[in-house]
Amino acid sequence: MNLQGILPFARTLLEAAASDGSAVIDATCGNGNDTLYLSRLVGKRGRVFGFDIQELAIQNTTRRLLEEQAFDNVTLFHAGHHTMKSAIPAEYHGSIKAAIFNLGYLPGGNKEIVTQSDSTIEALEQLYELLAPGGIAVLVIYHGHEQGKKERDAVLEYASQLDQQKAHVLQYGFINQKNNPPFIVAIEKR
């Protein structure tokens, strides 16, 4: 297949916005895969801020970073992504280059604990203030469960109403795959 899959395309978007020395956010740490990727992307001079409401996710991410000998450039918060503005030091406000959200539940975790529409929209509103011009928010939306459908609809409604003078919004996904395949919504600050 010549088309990029969802996760490789998410990384393409992150790489377009962030590089060595950048400050970035993993809004949903999960098992630490994106946190590790971002740590390597921004290098020793960069900074990664990671958020998750589940202690298990913070533990999994910490373990992953240690096992892979990641750079010492990651700060993890056992908190929801809707706390990012107050959690991230003010010196980084307006200079975040990229953020990634994986919306849904922790793979291998409790499927009853899922991201919520209200906190995700609140996080996006805060993130807009934190992003540098040209900064990108990448949302990978897993909508194969009931709350996922609600969150999908809320994110699409929110993103589609953003002023085009302030943000570019992209939707990327495969429309002929079965079982509610994940898709991307990317928001670039102008």
Side-chain angles (χ1 to χ4, degrees):
M1 178 167 83
N2 291 324
L3 294 173
Q4 281 190 304
I6 296 302
L7 298 180
F9 187 64
R11 290 186 172 184
T12 295
L13 292 170
L14 294 170
E15 290 166 8
S19 60
D20 185 59
S22 296
V24 297
I25 297 171
D26 185 349
T28 51
C29 290
N31 289 314
N33 296 320
D34 287 330
T35 313
L36 175 62
Y37 171 77
L38 290 171
S39 174
R40 291 178 173 161
L41 177 64
V42 302
K44 292 179 183 178
R45 297 182 315 111
R47 174 64 44 199
V48 180
F49 300 101
F51 294 84
D52 211 293
I53 61 168
Q54 293 187 65
E55 180 63 32
L56 177 61
I58 296 299
Q59 291 170 0
N60 291 348
T61 300
T62 300
R63 184 172 33 259
R64 173 103 183 168
L65 294 171
L66 290 172
E67 288 172 355
E68 298 290 333
Q69 300 176 345
F71 298 118
D72 186 21
N73 62 354
V74 178
T75 302
L76 297 176
F77 298 98
H78 180 205
H81 47 236
H82 64 285
T83 66
M84 66 175 62
K85 187 175 177 186
S86 62
I88 294 173
E91 66 195 77
Y92 293 98
H93 293 197
S95 65
I96 300 294
K97 295 292 190 174
I100 187 158
F101 295 69
N102 284 286
L103 303 180
Y105 52 82
L106 174 64
N110 182 345
K111 293 183 181 181
E112 298 299 314
I113 302 173
V114 296
T115 53
Q116 301 289 320
S117 310
D118 292 344
S119 62
T120 298
I121 300 302
E122 186 177 345
L124 290 172
E125 290 172 345
Q126 291 178 27
L127 179 59
Y128 187 82
E129 294 179 41
L130 299 177
L131 285 173
I136 294 179
V138 178
L139 296 93
V140 181
I141 302 174
Y142 295 88
H143 57 107
H145 54 97
E146 194 55 41
Q147 177 56 34
K149 290 173 179 48
K150 292 176 186 174
E151 192 168 31
R152 171 201 64 204
D153 293 346
V155 167
L156 288 173
E157 180 179 352
Y158 171 81
S160 67
Q161 294 179 18
L162 289 172
D163 183 341
Q164 67 180 353
Q165 299 303 314
K166 295 182 179 180
H168 297 292
V169 179
L170 167 78
Q171 183 176 345
Y172 180 86
F174 295 94
I175 60 175
N176 67 337
Q177 292 181 355
K178 297 178 182 177
N179 300 321
N180 302 303
F183 65 94
I184 290 173
V185 170
I187 301 169
E188 180 182 4
K189 183 176 181 175
R190 293 187 69 171

